[in-house]
């Protein structure tokens, strides 16, 4: 009977007590797990056991794999660096990011919607190779001159190459097989879209690299955490993960999605620790604080350090000043101001600034409106000028504007006082009357002009009531009377009750494209507020109280810039010729046209095989995971299998990374493009290879390698087939047409020759003079980059008239609102208004054309347009060929941009072909001489 009784083995020793030798286990192993511990470890996705030698980060890579990885890196370098110098002209958003590098070199302040790290890396390469910052990156297809553009392109290219080995190591750290990691690295190597993004001066390649690096470092930390926490290696991986999180966030705000991915994984870890009764509260607190320090504090400090470098470099005034507050502007070189008198009295000489639209100065100059009252213009001007100087007078009914204010007692400006503002240079008063403004032609807006003459006392339309909105807590008197830099006030017109008002609308060229000033009966409060920047009065003694701007420190400047970036980014809602919505990205429904020149084209399109396989894998994971949940509900114990647990954990993490980098874009109303999907695509590719690892897990290694080889060959074939669009190399029209797998792929096959022989005499190098072959919409200084349109009728021919005049298209008026209530007035639209008669427009001196649209009967849809427009970098320009012009077989030439430094207008809505009727009408109304 005793033979049927099996002896019970001794209980496993408690955790923390060294394992002793026994007859059953004569050779103790460090970290040996008994059956219960192995089952618990398997339920969490841990490996079957632990050995003495544990590789850093759980990365068990053999020496043969390192040699293989070296070969993969060489292949990736060859693919991404091939013909990197071609084209030798500006491509796509190099318009913006190259220009930002120029401003860094010249230390001129600018504002961009993206953090500075990637731009700083590009600038560093330009600086090392001797770039002087003088090239303007003005137009797409503009030839580079004295620009180390290859070195600047090398930064994204090298980071694109580095992404390949990181992807390999990531899957190996996730305990996938070497064949699987090889497949993923080659998928990314031959992904056409990622190659295109990494070959130009763009920010997406650094973003993808730091996203991939963060993922790899975090997985390494998780492996260390499973093995033994709080070791030196554990802290190293955790700290590096935090630094990489800071880097990805410092490239683009899309890095927030990477932070969310790591955050979800962190919460999952902490939740498991919280439910583990073997973990005391003090140990849990250590885990929590360590992660908070390295994953929150470290990234924030890294992110802020990048902006500190940004501010240190951009120490001088630039075209980005207008986005910032007056206090911020005065921290920049060339914008400092001497102390000014605090008191404002009748007779004071003052400069008045607007509060809401980046602090432009109330301004006038001896030029009249071409329509309306035809009186002298009142505008908002962003720079200091003697034409910003006004003198304040008492305008009571029995008062005299020419009383002896120099010898009379000081009379301070108090709330409710009726005043006149006389423009000192022209001796005319700020005036309003029942005339519509030149641009904002709506019933609730009145024109504001300068009216009068020397010695003229003016009339009641010159009179304004002072209303104090708020003062400064540091100055108690600022709420009782006007005080320089301390009091914010409104000016209400005495007769009509409207408020002196300004907004972002620009006047046309006859108004020097300065901001429009109106008198608004339904004024938005924020746009009706003003303050006095400087004040002087002959009766004020030299020791009278003086004030100046309180210069902000780093934290104030940092926070203000974050707000400006957020507001500007959210405001990029205009349509673009090649924008797309997130629902089209996984299906690769359309790409982006980067560059067109001399029968070559660069078009951003993904590798179809890699793209669709990754999308299919995402869908497969969703279906299988849902099926496993249903089986669990029916009592099946699939999750008791270590294999199921391993792949569920692996694929689940990658799926969460894909989802968090993809689904948030559905919440955004801003302008979106295919390249916004690339971080999510990276996770999708890794997920597809993880699915491959699961499906081939029961196969022999040789068979698995053969299957992977077939997939790699298909990926390389797809890459090679679409490589002409990736590199801008020769292609034929017939092959281009055959390559269109979807009707929505809108690369233009008409731009290619019908035969390769035609390319023999045409090199890819861009000539110095290309105006005859390519025309552009936009591209003015400080404005939106151009849409490049090939002029096939004019190839090889110079422009007939280089002195074509340019005309700015005015902006549109902002909608009116209930006065200071914030509710929009319904059924009232702001319209642009132009002079009715040609003789009403003042004569303008001819000037060299900056940007011309040439559209012939052979014109095709828009070729290329820059997308990363900032708040002041959009252009409202939509032009097409009318039916009448088509019959004549003659091109229509329309100039659409303003002078250098002009602030921008609203962006065009969609491709040129989508707005034929409206554009024709606008062109005929605004440019009758061009249309004729």
């Amino acid at each position: 009977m005793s033979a049927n009784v099996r002896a019970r083995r001794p209980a496993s020793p408690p955790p923390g007590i060294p394992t002793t030798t026994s007859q059953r286990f004569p050779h103790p192993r460090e970290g040996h797990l008994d059956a219960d511990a192995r089952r618990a470890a398997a339920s969490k996705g841990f490996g079957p056991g632990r050995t003495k030698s544990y590789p850093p980060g759980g990365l068990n890579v053999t020496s043969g794999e390192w040699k293989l990885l070296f070969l993969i890196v060489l292949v990736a370098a060859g693919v991404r660096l091939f013909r990197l110098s071609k084209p030798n002209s500006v491509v796509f958003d190099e318009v913006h990011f190259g220009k930002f590098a120029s401003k860094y070199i010249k230390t001129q302040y600018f504002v961009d919607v993206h953090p500075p790290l990637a731009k700083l890396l590009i600038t560093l390469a330009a600086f090392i190779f001797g770039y002087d910052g003088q090239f303007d990156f003005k137009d797409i297809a503009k030839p580079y001159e004295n620009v180390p553009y290859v070195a600047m392109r090398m930064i994204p290219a090298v980071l694109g190459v580095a992404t390949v080995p990181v992807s390999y190591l990531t899957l190996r750290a996730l305990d996938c097989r070497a064949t699987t990691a090889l497949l993923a690295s080659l998928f990314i190597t031959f992904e056409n879209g990622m190659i295109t993004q990494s070959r130009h001066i763009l920010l997406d390649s650094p973003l993808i690299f730091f996203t991939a690096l963060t993922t790899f470092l975090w997985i390494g930390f998780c492996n260390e955490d499973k093995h033994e926490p709080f070791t030196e290696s554990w802290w190293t991986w955790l700290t590096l993960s935090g630094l990489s999180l800071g880097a990805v966030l410092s490239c683009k705000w899309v890095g927030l999605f990477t932070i969310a991915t790591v955050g979800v994984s962190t919460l999952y870890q902490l939740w498991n620790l919280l439910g583990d009764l073997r973990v005391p509260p003090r140990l849990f607190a250590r885990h929590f604080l360590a992660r908070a320090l390295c994953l929150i504090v470290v990234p924030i400090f890294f992110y802020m350090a990048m902006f500190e470098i940004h501010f240190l470099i951009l120490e001088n005034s630039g075209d980005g000043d207008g986005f910032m507050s007056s206090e911020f502007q005065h921290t920049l070189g060339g914008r400092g101001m001497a102390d000014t008198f605090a008191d404002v009295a009748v007779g004071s000489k003052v400069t008045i600034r607007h509060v809401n639209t980046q602090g432009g100065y109330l301004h006038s100059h001896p030029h009249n409106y071409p329509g309306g009252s035809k009186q002298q213009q009142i505008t908002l001007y962003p720079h200091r000028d003697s034409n910003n100087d006004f003198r304040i007078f008492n305008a009571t009914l029995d008062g005299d504007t020419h009383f002896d204010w120099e010898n009379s007692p000081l009379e301070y400006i108090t709330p409710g006082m009726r005043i006149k503002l006389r423009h000192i240079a022209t001796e005319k008063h700020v005036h309003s009357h029942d005339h519509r403004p030149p641009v904002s032609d709506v019933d609730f807006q009145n024109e504001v002009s300068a009216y009068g003459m020397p010695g003229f006392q003016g009339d009641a339309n010159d009179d304004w009531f002072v209303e104090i909105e708020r003062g400064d807590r540091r100055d108690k008197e600022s709420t009782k009377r006007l005080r320089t830099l301390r009091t914010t006030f409104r000016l209400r017109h005495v007769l009509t009750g409207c408020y002196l008002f300004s907004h972002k609308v620009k006047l046309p060229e006859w108004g020097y494209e300065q901001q429009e000033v109106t008198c608004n009966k339904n004024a938005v409060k924020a746009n009706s507020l003003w303050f006095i920047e400087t004040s002087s009065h002959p009766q004020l003694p030299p020791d009278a109280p003086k004030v100046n701007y309180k210069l902000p420190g780093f934290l104030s400047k940092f926070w203000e810039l974050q707000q400006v970036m957020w507001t500007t980014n959210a405001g990029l809602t205009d349509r673009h010729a090649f924008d797309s919505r997130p629902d089209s990205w996984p299906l690769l429904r359309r790409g982006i046209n980067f560059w067109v020149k001399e029968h070559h084209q660069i078009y951003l399109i993904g590798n179809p095989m890699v793209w669709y396989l990754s999308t299919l894998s995402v869908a497969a994971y969703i279906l299988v995971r849902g099926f496993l949940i249903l089986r669990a509900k029916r009592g099946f114990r699939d999750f008791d299998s270590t294999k199921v647990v391993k792949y569920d954990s692996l694929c689940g993490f990658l799926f969460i990374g894909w989802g968090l980098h993809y689904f948030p874009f559905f919440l955004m109303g801003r302008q979106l493009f295919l390249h916004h999907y690339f971080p999510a695509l990276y996770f999708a590719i890794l997920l597809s290879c993880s699915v491959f690892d699961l499906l081939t897990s029961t196969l022999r290694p040789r068979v698995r390698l053969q299957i992977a080889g077939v997939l790699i060959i298909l990926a390389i074939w797809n890459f090679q087939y679409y490589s002409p669009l990736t590199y801008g190399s020769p292609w034929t029209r017939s092959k281009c047409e055959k390559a269109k797998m979807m009707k929505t792929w809108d690369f233009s096959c008409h731009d290619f020759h019908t035969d390769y022989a035609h390319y023999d005499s045409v090199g890819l190098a861009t000539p110095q003079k290309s105006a005859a072959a390519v025309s552009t919409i936009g591209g003015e200084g400080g404005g939106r980059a151009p849409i490049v349109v090939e002029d096939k009728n004019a190839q090889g021919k110079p422009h007939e008239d280089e002195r074509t005049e340019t005309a700015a298209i005015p902006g549109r008026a902002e909608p009116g609102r209930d006065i200071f209530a914030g509710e929009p007035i319904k059924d009232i639209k702001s319209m642009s208004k132009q002079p009715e008669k040609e003789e009403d427009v003042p004569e303008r001196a001819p000037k060299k054309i900056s940007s011309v649209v040439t559209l012939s009967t052979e014109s095709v849809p828009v070729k290329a347009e820059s997308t990363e427009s900032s708040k002041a970098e959009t252009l409202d320009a939509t032009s097409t060929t009318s039916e009448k012009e088509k019959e004549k077989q003659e091109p229509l030439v329309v100039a659409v941009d303003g002078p250098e430094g002009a602030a921008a207008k609203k962006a065009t809505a969609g491709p040129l072909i989508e707005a034929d009727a409206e554009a024709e009408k606008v062109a005929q109304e605004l440019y009758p001489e061009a249309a004729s």
Side-chain angles (χ1 to χ4, degrees):
M1 184 172 181
S2 60
N4 296 329
V5 177
R6 186 172 60 180
R8 182 180 180 88
R9 65 178 175 84
S12 300
I17 298 178
T19 304
T20 59
T21 60
S22 65
Q23 185 176 4
R24 183 176 178 85
F25 299 105
H27 304 289
R29 291 189 303 166
E30 182 182 355
H32 170 72
L33 301 177
D34 62 12
D36 296 333
R38 284 199 302 272
R39 187 178 298 108
S43 68
K44 297 181 181 180
F46 295 174
R50 294 167 179 161
T51 61
K52 289 183 179 180
S53 58
Y54 185 80
L59 193 63
N60 191 12
V61 180
T62 65
S63 60
E65 285 185 80
W66 286 114
K67 296 176 183 178
L68 175 64
L69 191 57
F70 178 74
L71 294 177
I72 294 172
V73 171
L74 290 182
V75 173
V79 169
R80 279 164 170 75
L81 302 181
F82 175 68
R83 293 168 59 92
L84 191 63
S85 62
K86 305 297 181 181
N88 65 340
S89 56
V90 180
V91 176
F92 193 53
D93 276 345
E94 290 184 343
V95 165
H96 299 291
F97 303 122
K99 178 176 63 178
F100 295 151
S102 297
K103 294 186 183 300
Y104 273 126
I105 297 291
K106 294 187 289 187
T107 69
Q108 295 176 348
Y109 187 79
F110 67 89
V111 170
D112 182 34
V113 296
H114 303 301
L117 175 58
K119 298 190 290 288
L120 287 172
L121 293 175
I122 293 170
T123 303
L124 178 61
F127 177 78
I128 291 175
F129 284 84
Y131 179 47
D132 58 6
Q134 297 304 315
F135 189 77
D136 58 12
F137 292 87
K138 189 176 182 180
D139 301 323
I140 292 176
K142 180 175 182 177
Y144 282 118
E145 298 177 359
N146 302 319
V147 181
Y149 68 95
V150 176
M152 298 170 72
R153 288 176 178 174
M154 188 67 71
I155 296 298
V158 169
L159 294 179
V161 172
T163 305
V164 172
V166 170
S167 65
Y168 183 98
L169 297 175
T170 299
L171 285 182
R172 292 295 287 126
L174 285 170
D175 200 26
C176 289
R177 296 170 178 82
T179 305
T180 303
L182 172 66
L183 182 65
S185 61
L186 292 179
F187 274 0
I188 293 175
T189 297
F190 294 103
E191 211 297 303
N192 297 67
M194 291 185 176
I195 297 171
T196 304
Q197 284 294 108
S198 66
R199 289 174 47 81
H200 303 104
I201 307 173
L202 304 172
L203 307 187
D204 294 275
S205 183
L207 172 70
I208 296 170
F209 168 74
F210 285 115
T211 299
L213 181 62
T214 301
T215 305
F216 167 65
L217 293 172
W218 176 248
I219 292 172
F221 164 76
C222 292
N223 291 336
E224 288 286 340
D225 191 56
K226 293 175 184 177
H227 178 64
E228 185 178 357
F230 301 109
T231 62
E232 182 178 346
S233 179
W234 185 89
W235 279 106
T236 299
W237 285 93
L238 182 60
T239 304
L240 290 176
S241 298
L243 290 173
S244 188
L245 281 176
V248 69
L249 181 60
S250 298
C251 288
K252 275 188 172 184
W253 276 356
V254 177
L256 288 169
F257 304 152
T258 307
I259 292 178
T261 302
V262 174
V264 169
S265 180
T266 302
L267 292 176
Y268 178 76
Q269 289 180 353
L270 293 176
W271 182 256
N272 286 334
L273 287 172
L274 188 63
D276 191 343
L277 298 179
R278 296 170 297 179
V279 178
R282 176 172 292 184
L283 181 59
F284 177 82
R286 288 184 62 194
H287 277 281
F288 178 85
L289 292 177
R291 287 164 170 79
L293 174 65
C294 294
L295 301 180
I296 298 177
V297 177
V298 169
I300 289 176
F301 271 94
F302 186 96
Y303 181 75
M304 295 176 69
M306 293 302 102
F307 278 94
E308 176 66 12
I309 298 174
H310 178 80
F311 291 142
L312 290 174
I313 296 176
L314 302 180
E315 59 182 359
N316 294 312
S317 177
D319 58 15
D321 297 10
F323 290 92
M324 314 310 296
S325 66
S326 301
E327 291 81 3
F328 190 108
Q329 294 177 26
H330 281 77
T331 64
L332 303 172
R335 294 302 298 263
M337 184 183 77
D339 292 347
T340 184
F341 288 108
D343 291 316
V344 181
V346 173
S348 289
K349 174 184 174 181
V350 298
T351 57
I352 303 174
R353 297 194 70 170
H354 196 234
V355 171
N356 199 34
T357 54
Q358 293 82 44
Y361 293 90
L362 189 66
H363 176 91
S364 186
H365 42 238
H367 296 276
N368 297 340
Y369 292 117
S373 67
K374 299 186 179 181
Q375 295 173 4
Q376 185 170 300
Q377 299 170 17
I378 292 287
T379 65
L380 215 62
Y381 184 61
H383 307 292
R384 292 175 183 170
D385 189 288
S386 60
N387 282 326
N388 302 337
D389 296 336
F390 291 85
R391 195 173 300 280
I392 300 178
F393 290 109
N394 191 324
T396 53
L397 293 177
D398 56 347
D400 181 1
T401 58
H402 296 281
F403 77 103
D404 189 9
W405 53 269
E406 296 185 5
N407 299 314
S408 300
L410 286 175
E411 182 182 3
Y412 297 120
I413 308 301
T414 56
M417 180 177 285
R418 184 168 175 169
I419 65 170
K420 293 180 186 290
L421 292 174
R422 181 191 294 176
H423 189 241
I424 294 178
T426 60
E427 298 190 43
K428 296 184 179 182
H429 298 113
V430 177
H431 179 95
S432 186
H433 41 220
D434 192 18
H435 285 269
R436 300 289 77 76
V439 176
S440 301
D441 185 7
V442 286
D443 293 338
F444 55 84
Q445 297 261 38
N446 287 343
E447 178 191 86
V448 174
S449 62
Y451 174 69
M453 63 189 72
F456 179 61
Q457 295 183 5
D459 58 31
N461 280 325
D462 304 337
D463 297 354
W464 305 83
F465 285 124
V466 176
E467 296 181 1
I468 291 181
E469 171 67 19
R470 61 178 178 270
D472 193 308
R473 291 178 297 178
R474 298 170 294 172
D475 187 351
K476 296 181 179 180
E477 295 296 320
S478 61
T479 58
K480 302 175 184 177
R481 53 190 173 94
L482 288 191
R483 297 273 284 181
T484 307
L485 297 176
R486 300 290 188 260
T487 305
T488 301
F489 63 94
R490 298 184 296 270
L491 292 176
R492 178 166 55 88
H493 194 247
V494 170
L495 296 186
T496 62
C498 57
Y499 284 86
L500 191 67
F501 176 90
S502 185
H503 45 184
K504 301 171 187 176
V505 173
K506 304 292 183 179
L507 294 173
E509 189 176 292
W510 50 257
Y512 303 96
E513 298 184 346
Q514 297 172 12
Q515 267 178 246
E516 182 186 46
V517 175
T518 68
C519 195
N520 197 331
K521 299 175 184 177
N522 298 322
V524 180
K525 180 189 289 187
N527 284 353
S528 305
L529 299 178
W530 307 81
F531 69 95
I532 293 175
E533 182 180 80
T534 63
S535 174
S536 62
H537 197 288
Q539 290 195 37
L540 290 172
D543 59 349
K546 292 185 177 181
V547 294
N548 208 329
Y549 285 102
K550 181 182 179 181
L551 300 184
F554 167 74
L555 291 178
S556 298
K557 293 168 61 179
F558 170 79
W559 181 244
E560 180 180 342
L561 182 55
Q562 303 310 301
Q563 292 175 310
V564 169
M565 291 167 59
W566 177 269
T567 303
T568 305
N569 198 17
L572 300 177
T573 58
D574 299 312
R575 286 289 312 279
H576 183 277
F578 291 97
D579 64 2
S580 56
R581 297 307 300 172
D583 59 302
S584 68
W585 298 342
L587 299 178
L588 194 61
R589 292 186 58 82
R590 69 184 312 218
I592 309 172
N593 211 339
F594 271 23
W595 179 89
V596 177
K597 189 77 171 178
E598 297 173 351
H599 303 285
H600 297 77
Q601 183 176 179
I602 296 177
Y603 185 92
L604 179 71
I605 194 73
N607 185 315
M609 182 265 182
V610 174
W611 204 285
Y612 293 133
L613 188 61
S614 66
T615 301
L616 181 63
S617 299
V618 171
Y621 172 79
I622 296 174
L623 293 176
V624 172
R625 192 61 170 84
F627 180 68
L628 289 176
I629 293 174
L630 292 177
R631 281 176 57 87
K633 281 292 185 181
R634 300 294 296 173
F636 291 92
R637 304 181 64 179
D638 298 312
F639 288 96
D640 286 348
S641 168
T642 56
K643 183 176 182 179
V644 172
V645 171
K646 170 189 171 181
Y647 284 103
D648 178 67
S649 176
L650 190 160
C651 296
F653 172 76
L654 296 175
F655 173 78
I656 290 174
W658 173 85
L660 290 177
H661 284 80
Y662 174 61
F663 290 115
F665 285 107
F666 284 93
L667 305 177
M668 299 182 187
R670 62 150 290 174
Q671 208 175 64
L672 295 173
F673 299 88
L674 180 65
H675 60 73
H676 287 111
Y677 182 67
F678 283 163
L681 175 65
Y682 175 80
F683 284 97
I685 292 175
L686 296 189
L687 178 59
S688 66
C689 295
S690 301
V691 172
F692 167 84
D693 194 85
L694 170 62
L695 296 178
T696 60
S697 60
T698 58
L699 301 178
R700 290 179 297 173
R702 178 176 295 180
V703 176
R704 184 187 310 113
L705 184 60
Q706 291 172 348
I707 296 174
V710 171
L711 294 176
I712 292 170
I713 291 173
L714 290 175
I716 295 176
W717 183 86
N718 275 265
F719 155 75
Q720 185 273 336
Y721 195 73
Y722 292 95
S723 61
L725 295 176
T726 302
Y727 296 109
S729 53
W731 213 16
T732 62
R733 190 172 300 176
S734 59
K735 286 190 175 182
C736 175
E737 294 290 353
K738 292 179 182 178
K740 286 191 174 182
M741 295 176 56
M742 303 182 71
K743 294 182 180 179
T744 52
W745 289 6
D746 50 1
F747 46 84
S748 177
C749 294
H750 293 283
D751 289 310
F752 298 102
H753 285 303
T754 56
D755 192 272
Y756 284 111
H758 295 159
Y759 288 98
D760 293 341
S761 59
V762 181
L764 185 59
T766 307
Q768 296 299 312
K769 287 287 185 181
S770 59
V774 173
S775 299
T776 61
I777 298 175
E780 76 282 3
R784 191 179 186 85
I787 303 173
V788 180
V789 181
E790 183 178 2
D791 181 7
K792 298 186 177 182
N793 289 344
Q795 288 185 13
K797 300 178 182 179
H799 286 297
E800 297 180 1
D801 186 5
E802 290 291 340
R803 299 184 297 108
T804 305
E805 294 183 4
T806 61
I809 297 180
R812 298 183 178 178
E814 295 182 354
R817 298 173 182 269
D818 288 339
I819 189 69
F820 306 145
E823 293 296 330
I825 296 294
K826 297 181 180 179
D827 300 327
I828 297 180
K829 296 182 178 180
S830 300
M831 301 174 290
S832 297
K833 177 183 177 183
Q834 294 296 318
E836 296 179 358
K837 299 181 180 179
E838 185 175 355
E839 57 269 24
D840 291 340
V841 182
E843 184 177 354
R844 294 171 292 185
K847 60 194 300 183
K848 185 177 179 180
I849 186 168
S850 299
S851 176
V852 176
V853 177
T854 305
L855 296 173
S856 69
T857 57
E858 299 182 9
S859 295
V860 295
V862 183
K863 300 295 185 236
E865 182 179 350
S866 176
T867 64
E868 296 292 345
S869 55
S870 63
K871 188 176 183 180
E873 296 184 344
T874 54
L875 178 67
D876 187 1
T878 305
S879 304
T880 59
T881 307
S882 65
E883 294 298 329
K884 183 177 180 180
E885 294 298 326
K886 291 180 181 178
E887 294 176 1
K888 292 183 179 180
Q889 299 289 319
E890 294 179 358
L892 172 63
V893 181
V894 182
V896 296
D897 65 324
E900 181 71 16
K905 289 80 184 173
K906 286 290 183 182
T908 176
L912 297 178
I913 58 174
E914 295 179 359
D916 289 348
E918 180 182 357
E920 179 183 353
K921 182 178 179 181
V922 171
Q924 291 177 353
E925 291 180 354
L926 300 184
Y927 313 105
E929 68 282 357
S932 61

